[in-house]
Amino acid sequence: MSFQPTSFQPATFRIDGETIDATPRPGQCLRTFLREQGRFGVKKGCDSGDCGACTVHLDGRPVHACLLPAHRAEGREVTTIEGLSCCGRLHPVQQRFLDAQAFQCGFCTPGMVMTAAALDPAQRARPDRLLKGNLCRCTGYRAIREAVQGEIPAAGSRDVQAPGGRGVVDGTARFTMDVAVERLSHIKVLQSPHASARIRRIDVAAAMAVPGVLAVLTHRDAPAACFSTARHENPLDDVDDTRVLDPVIRFAGQRVAAVVAETEAAAERARDLIAVDYEILPAVFDPEAAMAPGAPVIHDKPAAVSRIADPARNVAAEVHGGVGDVAAGFAEADAIHEGVYESQRVSHAQLETHGAVGWIRNGRLVIRTSSQTPFLTRDALARLYDLPPERVRVVCGRVGGGFGGKQEMLVEDLVALAVLRTGRPAKLELTRAEQFTMTTTRHPMKVRVKVGAKADGALTAIEMRIVADTGAYGNHAPGVLFHAAGEAVALYRCPNKKIDGWAVYTNQVPSGAFRGYGLSQTGFAVESAMDELARRLGMDPFAFRRRNVVVPGDPMVSLDAGPHDVEFGSYGLDQCLDRVERALAEDHRIGGAPAGRRPPVARAAGERPGPAPSGAAPVGEASAGATPPAVGGPGEGVSGERPAVGGAGEGAAGDWLVGRGMAVGMIDTIPPRGHVAHSRIALDGEHYLLTVGTAEFGAGTSTVHVQIAAQALGVSPDRIRLQQSDTDLGAHDTGAFGSTGTVVAGQATLRAAQALADALRRAAAERLGAAVEECVLGAGGVTDGRRTVRLSTLAGVSAEGRADGTPRSVAFNVQGFVVAVHRRYGTLKILRSVHAADAGFVVNPRQCRGQIEGGVAQAIGAALWEEVRLDGEGRVETPAFRGYRLPAMGDLPVTEVHFARTHDRLGPLGAKSMSESPFNPVAAALASAIRDATGLRMTATPFLADRIHAAMRARAAEPDFTQPDFRTEETDRERHPAGS
Amino acid sequence: MSYERPADLARALALRAEGGRVVLAGGTDLLAATRARELRGPVLDVTGVAEMQGVTLSAEGLRLGGAASWTAVARAPLPPACAGLQAAARVVGSTQIQNRGTVAGNLVNASPAADSVPPLLTLDAEVELVSLRGTRRLALGAFLLGPRRTALAADELLVAVHVPAAALAGQGAFEKLGARAHLVISIGMAAARLVVAGGRVVSAALAVGACSPVAQRLGAVEAALVGRPLAELGEALDPAAAAAALSPIDDVRADAGYRRAVAPELLRRALLACAPAPETAL
């Protein structure tokens, strides 16, 4: 029996040059209609016209397919990404996106290309405003802008193109939901409107009566067992506090029930007919209040079973540690700074929402999902539903962005339940609003930092108190808290350290793994505090860092003195500091900055070193950055305002305050406590077939794996074929998180490829009767110098490699900014963004640069604009991109990227991780630049214009806005720099 | 039939009079607001109605058809008085939104942050409301009753927006302040239209949006500008009077205090942008 739409309007459509007779539903949008016609290149990012991923051409003009009724396309020419290329040849814009590697996860690419393809050459030259309707979360837009403009830097020898890149630009790449499954049913979730409640009764009779409904699942259908949605190699690292469906509601947005139906519409109708009788319970929204005596207990579960640290106090996890005696350390300090720094809730905002499709095949449960951890998700599903692991297969398509959010099992459990219950294939694809209200965010943290130093700059004590808000569930709470207490403090050589931290339950949307894994929040606190302390001592921030950061030979200490498996496999922090310092000193490049005159950038004499000596040797590889952003570049929110122009008699020169800031980050290259990867590589005719378990979600690890294998096997990268992210292929892999795609899985690939190279040489040596040492493996085969054994005659040889993620090294990032703050609006403009990274040997510089740019971009969003806001009742007030401000192309500066020249003795080919860490120093560097410009220390992100403005108003002696004079003594000094 | 896209006004009005249909123009607000990603229930799509097309200038003034898109408004050759309206058309939403969204829809949607409203207020715009009962014209200020509330009757369609010829004099301008450079809902915005003769202000029209439940004209502030020499324009604007006329609220985009502080500054910039100002060149 199949469920039929109630109304018919047969119509004729022209789609990509084909004529199609079809019957859209009356109010159906063009996006879902096109996808029903198999045009999977049309993506869903938001369904509200904010992200542009669904952009198609209607009679040649770009429109949002999600906002256009399908009926209105009748008789018009509809072109999708898959119809843009012609006769096997890419459209020129597609070709440029491919050449420029103007994508990472690639989910936004079809929409980007469609918008760009409709521009005329003059428009393409200045795309920022015209592409404001297309959001990209991965790249930071620099490569996209270059692709649109057609000004593509030449690729270097190691800038190998991403495998599958052509599919990304021509729209044929298949992401999670881009499959047509027969007899597919659809899941819709009823979410709780209450933050804290108990379900007294659920009446599903009316919902079941809706035609097409197959099942309504409630807590009565769900396994009784608790699990953690967080995924780690060792499941005991996480707290088991979550059920698939739970009669106790702990946050507004939590799943209450799920409808499985023949169509999405039927599922939605039925969902709205489920009657729930809630007993409203007291809720708590503030972590400090949640820890106080008498607070409602959110998880009344035994600690021994759940591994919740202290259920009665709502403490999911806690850490306490340190070395030395901080009281003694502060007693001997000549200067002390203490401050409380708050980081807000931000969304990963991967353009591909969470979603999974499941079915049963040959008696096995198959889940196709958008995950960073297919193997761990397979294991979790097997445990949850009491299935042997070999009866569960988890496979990924191309994953449209992760950022940590997909190191969780947030939809797969429910899809599995639906499939197991109905026997039917089932799909759950979250809407953007559900993504905001039902998945996870970064942990909001309140971090109190106290730091002390001697007059010569030497740190004497660091004390940190972390309160992390894990929300209603403790997914990743222990890991994030542990990591937050780690490298931000371990970066500094200091005899006395004390750290206390709590991850606390509240009745709010759960926090989870997020790029940086706690370090962006504590890094903001510690680096801001270090900047203040340096100022107090009259020291330049770079000099202060050089005085205090760890160098090889120093122990890396935070919670304890070790022993640890973290070593200085290489060290390039010194190079990074030098490079950013030199870049920020080049003030001529921002000459004519906002005020239309030479900006007051230099600090008082003696506080800031002059420009680097002209004879200084260049450090690191050639700058990967293009020219710095033009003056009047992005970041300013006043339409049409040209900063250089002052209105009549307005004294515009005084409108912009300019300042500089920097911050440092250190990160362990691999997460602790085990991270396993296996790779297998086999000779397959003239090609090698490489199988890796790790997932690719835009970080570019696929390319790196291909390059590593190619190098070890002495062939060009196009001879390597890659298959990945499928539990039926290859052996166990912990997954792609903690920046491990290159350093752990890449290590396994290197070992597999080297083992295969050895095996091939041995086999050939035997056949040739030569010594193995004489035999050289190359593109044509194995040769002993005289004779060659062709590869095709060695077919079937294969080898495996394994890496277990220890010992670990450290990677470094230094970020510098020059900003201008508008005195009347409080708006902020980034005049210059410079980032130096110590990534070890950089396997693919173009990709790694993209990772860094994207990380900085995402962090700028989190530092300046983004915030998942909750109302007083714990409900998300910003469930759409219209209210949650993702940076667009015109909002972001071009970040100049520099690499330190190092070679790691632990990483594969000398490489280190570089995917999360560029995010971490950004907020503190911006805050310190704002401090430099205005004299104000912003202690809570995001630094929205009204908050900067409010701080300026509060500080100004004369509150009358029309007579603004926020010049402090300090900034007055800056206006007349000595020696200039 | 649940989806109707009539070609003429008579048919559209007949369908409208039947009731029960959601009126759809660009769909950029309506479809974005649906949780179900599609419109439930019967639809009256007015974008095919011949009488609602086009952006036309005549002796009577300017007429924006109810189905005219932002892109059509931005690209039309209009007099300098409309510069603010055209600037708003270029900053509202994205390229894709501008291609589909309509000015009339922006008015009917009646968001306090609607970008079209302040410039249209400075142009003394009227809306033409038509039903089977007849046609009426309302000043825009009378049409907008509050957040998401208008004077549109259940059987009426907003067929066109009119700007009288007299209001096409002078120079217009628009200033918008959002959290970022592009694609943001306004924290605050201001529009101005200035008529100048002999170096002095003949008349001024000022409006502020997103700083009160409905965008509004600032009559007292305007009156104080009349007769003032251009050179004094910046000082002639009384920020206290401007701020006093507003009633901003705290919302997710900014707090009220910030809006009250920046609105006069936005107005001043809009005003200065209207002035012929060779002396501002650096």
Side-chain angles (χ1 to χ4, degrees), chain A residues 47 132 264 641 825 886 891, chain B residues 25 37 93 95 180 258 269:
Chain A
D47 268 339
K132 64 181 174 177
E264 277 193 46
E641 183 183 5
Y825 290 136
L886 235 52
D891 295 321
Chain B
R37 298 160 317 288
T95 312
R180 305 182 329 216
Y258 180 66
R269 286 182 184 241

Side-chain angles (χ1 to χ4, degrees), chain A residues 570-632:
Chain A
S570 54
Y571 186 83
L573 176 54
D574 48 351
Q575 298 177 43
C576 294
L577 286 167
D578 291 350
R579 194 65 195 81
V580 173
E581 180 179 45
R582 207 165 59 240
L584 291 190
E586 295 163 355
D587 62 341
H588 68 275
R589 298 180 76 178
I590 55 159
R597 58 167 204 178
R598 193 168 179 282
V601 287
R603 290 169 60 179
E607 285 197 23
R608 186 182 292 283
S614 57
V619 176
E621 302 193 4
S623 159
T627 49
V631 169

Side-chain angles (χ1 to χ4, degrees), chain B residues 147-248:
Chain B
R148 310 281 168 192
R149 285 199 305 125
T150 70
L152 188 74
D155 61 345
E156 282 178 326
L157 292 173
L158 198 169
V159 168
V161 180
H162 297 273
V163 176
L168 291 174
Q171 174 72 44
F174 179 70
E175 288 284 327
K176 170 169 171 167
L177 181 66
R180 305 182 329 216
H182 300 295
L183 192 62
V184 287
I185 300 172
S186 302
I187 290 172
M189 60 193 144
R193 185 171 58 86
L194 201 61
V195 181
V196 175
R200 289 182 181 270
V201 176
V202 174
S203 69
L206 299 174
V208 173
C211 291
S212 46
V214 179
Q216 51 181 292
R217 282 278 291 267
L218 302 174
V221 183
E222 294 170 4
L225 294 173
V226 174
R228 301 291 291 263
L230 273 187
E232 296 171 14
L233 209 51
E235 300 84 70
L237 181 82
D238 178 0
L246 304 172
S247 52

